[in-house]
Amino acid sequence: MEGDEMIVGSYRTPPLCLGSTLGIIPYGKGRIIYSTLDVVDNLLSQEPAAEVARKLFCNMLISNW
């Protein structure tokens, strides 16, 4: 996406295509944080790997990205 600040990137091959998976878009006096990661569906999961989703979600809420 043009004009965004990439926080987490992803790519696919072939051909090499780089894109933002988590990023920030300036909007007026603020900004919009967007994510294509499957965070929300994992917030209530009891799986150990879901802890990553919970930490990422908390960071998005309290961070000053």
Side-chain angles (χ1 to χ4, degrees), residues 18-51:
L18 181 62
S20 296
T21 305
L22 175 64
I24 300 171
I25 302 169
Y27 186 77
K29 293 182 180 179
R31 57 187 174 213
I32 298 170
I33 299 173
Y34 69 89
S35 174
T36 61
L37 299 171
D38 193 14
V39 174
V40 175
D41 289 342
N42 287 296
L43 292 177
L44 299 177
S45 172
Q46 299 302 314
E47 296 294 320
E51 186 63 26

Side-chain angles (χ1 to χ4, degrees), residues 24 31 33 58-65:
I24 300 171
R31 57 187 174 213
I33 299 173
C58 288
N59 285 341
M60 287 191 294
L61 291 176
I62 64 173
S63 74
N64 196 16
W65 280 336

